[in-house]
Amino acid sequence: MSSGTLHHTEKNYFKYFTTQTWRIDETYQWDVKDNYYFQGLARKHFEQNPKLQQTIGWESGDFDPLK
C-alpha cells in the first residue's frame, strides 16, 4: 500500500465507520486490551505467505495496523 493510499484511507475512515459505546454488562467490568482490537493471524498463514507480519501485541507480533 502506498503512503498516498494510506493517507486517503485515514482521511476517509469516519465516512464508513463510527465509534459507539454500549453498556453490555452492569455487573462486571469488561476491559479489552489494546492488542485485542485486531485479531492475530494463525501460524499457517505465515507458512503460506512469509511476507505477512503478526499483529503487534500477539506472540512474535511486530506489525502495527494503526501506522
Side-chain angles (χ1 to χ4, degrees):
M1 182 180 299
S2 72
S3 60
T5 303
L6 181 59
H7 176 70
H8 176 73
T9 302
E10 290 173 355
K11 182 179 176 183
N12 293 306
Y13 178 84
F14 290 104
K15 230 182 197 181
Y16 305 102
F17 299 100
T18 59
T19 301
Q20 297 179 355
T21 304
W22 291 289
R23 278 199 172 265
I24 58 172
D25 192 324
E26 298 290 332
T27 306
Y28 301 100
Q29 182 175 349
W30 191 62
D31 293 320
V32 178
K33 295 180 182 178
D34 289 340
N35 62 306
Y36 291 167
Y37 286 105
F38 293 94
Q39 179 64 37
L41 299 172
R43 186 176 313 275
K44 69 178 182 178
H45 298 297
F46 298 104
E47 293 168 357
Q48 294 170 352
N49 186 350
K51 292 184 180 183
L52 286 176
Q53 294 177 314
Q54 183 63 279
T55 307
I56 199 166
W58 297 88
E59 183 181 340
S60 303
D62 54 2
F63 174 70
D64 185 350
L66 299 177
K67 290 189 176 184

